[in-house]
Amino acid sequence: MQAIGRQPQGAPDGAPVHYERHRPEQTTLYRLVQQHAATFIAQTEAATGADLPQFVKDEFDAFLECGILAHGFLRLRCGDCGHDKLVAFSCKRRGFCPSCGARRMAQTAAHLVDHVIPHVPVRQWVLSLPIPLRLLLAAQPKLVTPVLQVVHRVITRFLLKKAGVNADDADSGAVTLIQRFGSAANLNVHLHCLVLDGVYRCGTEGTPEFVEVPAPTDEALQAVLHKIITRTMKLLTRRGLLIEEKGQAYLADTDGDSDEARVLRPLQAAACTYRIAFGPRAGQKVLTLQGAMPRETDFKQTLCADISGFSLHAAVRCGADDRQALEQLCRYITRPALANERVQTNAAGQVVLKLKTPWRDGTTHLVMSPLEFMQRLAALVPRPRLHLIRFHGVLAPNAKLRAMVVPQEPEPPAQAAPPAECQASCAHHRPVRLSWARLLKRVFALDLEHCPNCGGELKIIAVILEQPVIEKILTHLGLQARAPPRSAAREQALQAA
């Protein structure tokens, strides 16, 4: 949710900074979607002769309602001075909304550090895939599960061997984030695995004991990647997705004739290869701007293996007691695909996307038309009910050792014994995730729980959903009572397609 209220004139040193709604309708990204989404949808459907999947259309619609007070809000009031604050509803989507992506980033990172990852060393293993495999996993996301099982099995056996224990006596643990984008808002399905840097084995009394392992060598990492590649290729061959003929291998297209494939495949292929899917420049590369000096191409990263388009990186490690660094790493791998500050337009009306870090050739920005940018956004939208976070080994939901290795909540203060029926209902209590207000305070030191005028506690007094009531309140406060209008599809762009 997103809030609006009066900003205090000044805060003394040490005083909390109060959160203010960021007004998404004023951002470049919002205006681009507002003005060009309808044209993009019509252009894509005209070019392919099939409807754009409904979940992609819903993503654009929900984004245009995210944080807009005219679509409903919560009303908060301070019980001491009567100060009001309005909190707009958010879309909670997973595609390209920067606000909801930032919330999910902070919430997921806090949950992993507080309730999932034990107080042991953690190493990040990042597996990047060749472009054909990225396209395959984007088009058939159900394949991610068996591929991820292969990756986790190979890494776990490597750790067990380094620890000198058998698979029957010990197990490792990992949390994997399936990231679907790159720094250029391109479609890039790759795996970020936070793997415990060792294994757990059962002690003499049945309690888990952690056995730390030394860092892998470059040669060992090369062997691990080679084994991952070999087993992944065998998996795809068994499923009929990898065909070998006359000494050459290629991926089979099993559902290329479906309406959804006819629309999504061109968008996904173009987003993977930095090209344009539809329009006057279809098939061409996205324009780039070089604003930095090129870097050396012969630079070799430590603990990084590259084989035939596959890449495995394992140089990032967090110590057992460095929970702050671990939370920062969790935020990095769960970050949203876009940030509002990186999306701008130039004098010609083109979209200028700033890269998070310059490429090796010195590229710092990508330049594309608004409709070409809409194609990128559509390709980033994940399918509904696709889990992007997976848990393995001792951290898996039903693992026997999970309850004994995950961080334990502090003991509550001594109180009277609860009744028997309460004990039964609380036996399987799960930790409650932090509220958005507490996340803001934890990550950005922003205060949404207290009044900016007197410091009193803000409480929800109403949920406003009815349009006449919304308009009446917003008009009384001098705020925009109607949602920003959406542009209809433009005929000239459709004819150009």
Side-chain angles (χ1 to χ4, degrees):
M1 294 185 178
Q2 303 170 3
I4 182 170
R6 288 191 299 164
Q7 178 72 22
Q9 295 299 320
D13 293 340
V17 179
H18 294 276
Y19 175 69
E20 296 299 322
R21 171 177 172 264
H22 71 275
R23 293 170 176 79
E25 66 275 13
Q26 297 179 5
T27 64
T28 302
L29 178 59
Y30 186 94
R31 291 196 295 266
L32 287 169
V33 176
Q34 174 191 9
Q35 296 170 10
H36 301 283
T39 303
F40 156 71
I41 294 173
Q43 178 195 60
T44 302
E45 294 180 345
T48 60
D51 291 339
L52 192 68
Q54 190 60 44
F55 71 88
V56 179
K57 297 179 182 179
D58 291 343
E59 192 85 16
F60 284 102
D61 290 339
F63 174 74
L64 292 177
E65 296 181 2
C66 182
I68 303 300
L69 292 170
H71 291 292
F73 50 83
L74 296 182
R75 187 175 180 182
L76 287 73
R77 174 170 292 175
C78 174
D80 296 334
C81 70
H83 173 76
D84 278 358
K85 185 183 286 284
L86 306 184
V87 182
F89 295 116
S90 57
C91 66
K92 301 179 179 63
R93 296 283 176 159
R94 303 184 298 169
F96 51 83
C97 178
S99 177
C100 294
R103 171 178 179 166
R104 187 173 294 105
M105 170 192 70
Q107 192 173 49
T108 302
H111 176 70
L112 292 177
V113 172
D114 291 347
H115 302 293
V116 178
I117 301 178
H119 289 260
V120 299
V122 176
R123 184 176 299 276
Q124 179 187 216
W125 297 67
V126 183
L127 177 66
S128 298
L129 306 169
I131 288 179
L133 271 185
R134 298 177 194 176
L135 280 171
L136 178 64
L137 296 184
Q140 302 184 40
K142 290 183 179 180
L143 287 174
V144 173
T145 297
V147 170
L148 188 51
Q149 289 173 345
V150 168
V151 174
H152 174 66
R153 192 177 298 119
V154 172
I155 295 177
T156 298
R157 291 183 178 176
F158 169 77
L159 294 175
L160 290 170
K161 183 177 180 181
K162 296 282 286 186
V165 295
N166 296 323
D168 296 334
D169 303 327
D171 198 2
S172 182
V175 178
T176 299
L177 192 286
I178 304 166
Q179 206 169 81
R180 303 183 69 257
F181 56 85
S183 63
N186 55 305
L187 183 62
N188 180 10
V189 179
H190 59 290
L191 307 176
H192 286 263
C193 306
L194 297 183
V195 184
L196 307 185
D197 209 17
V199 297
Y200 274 101
R201 65 181 179 187
C202 288
T204 55
E205 299 181 357
T207 58
E209 297 177 354
F210 186 74
V211 181
E212 187 174 347
V213 301
T217 62
D218 289 336
E219 294 75 14
L221 205 65
Q222 197 83 4
V224 170
L225 179 58
H226 185 270
K227 189 171 292 186
I228 289 175
I229 295 173
T230 302
R231 296 189 177 185
T232 301
M233 295 299 103
K234 289 182 179 179
L235 168 70
L236 297 178
T237 302
R238 288 197 306 269
R239 291 176 175 255
L241 298 170
L242 185 66
I243 300 176
E244 295 186 8
E245 288 184 355
K246 299 180 180 180
Q248 294 185 345
Y250 62 91
L251 293 173
D253 190 4
T254 57
D255 62 343
D257 294 333
S258 66
D259 289 346
E260 185 174 290
R262 290 210 310 272
V263 179
L264 285 184
R265 291 292 177 83
L267 293 172
Q268 293 172 341
C272 261
T273 56
Y274 306 94
R275 296 183 182 274
I276 309 302
F278 307 115
R281 298 186 60 244
Q284 300 182 30
K285 284 273 191 178
V286 174
L287 300 177
T288 60
L289 296 178
Q290 277 74 34
M293 292 294 295
R295 296 179 306 197
E296 296 181 6
T297 56
D298 297 334
F299 175 73
K300 173 64 175 168
Q301 289 183 318
T302 58
L303 290 183
C304 183
D306 296 283
I307 302 176
S308 303
F310 289 84
S311 173
L312 185 63
H313 185 272
V316 177
R317 181 182 185 272
C318 296
D321 299 323
D322 198 352
R323 306 298 282 184
Q324 183 176 358
L326 178 61
E327 186 165 354
Q328 291 175 348
L329 178 60
C330 290
R331 289 179 199 158
Y332 169 74
I333 67 174
T334 56
R335 70 191 186 277
L338 287 173
N340 283 315
E341 298 77 15
R342 293 174 52 205
V343 182
Q344 302 296 331
T345 54
N346 57 19
Q350 295 172 306
V351 179
V352 181
L353 178 64
K354 181 180 180 181
L355 299 178
K356 190 175 179 65
T357 55
W359 289 347
R360 291 184 180 180
D361 63 354
T363 298
T364 55
H365 296 79
L366 302 182
V367 181
M368 59 194 91
S369 72
L371 291 179
E372 294 167 356
F373 183 62
M374 293 298 106
Q375 298 173 15
R376 286 291 183 94
L377 297 184
L380 294 180
V381 179
R383 295 175 185 271
R385 296 173 293 279
L386 171 63
H387 296 292
L388 298 179
I389 301 180
R390 311 290 177 89
F391 302 90
H392 316 274
V394 297
L395 302 184
N398 296 322
K400 294 181 179 179
L401 297 180
R402 178 184 170 98
M404 292 184 281
V405 302
V406 298
Q408 303 299 318
E409 296 187 35
E411 291 292 333
Q415 296 178 352
E421 59 271 15
C422 180
Q423 291 181 351
S425 63
C426 297
H428 299 285
H429 171 70
R430 295 184 178 181
V432 179
R433 295 202 175 189
L434 293 176
S435 66
W436 182 223
R438 294 187 179 182
L439 282 171
L440 286 173
K441 184 178 291 186
R442 173 172 178 156
V443 180
F444 303 110
L446 297 176
D447 191 356
L448 185 58
E449 296 179 310
H450 297 91
C451 175
N453 294 336
C454 69
E457 184 180 359
L458 291 172
K459 295 184 178 180
I460 298 174
I461 62 172
V463 179
I464 311 299
L465 298 173
E466 294 78 12
Q467 197 61 37
V469 181
I470 293 173
E471 295 181 4
K472 183 177 180 180
I473 293 176
L474 295 182
T475 302
H476 175 72
L477 296 176
L479 300 173
Q480 182 65 38
R482 295 188 177 276
R486 306 182 188 183
S487 300
R490 294 187 299 276
E491 193 67 30
Q492 292 179 347
L494 296 178
Q495 293 176 354

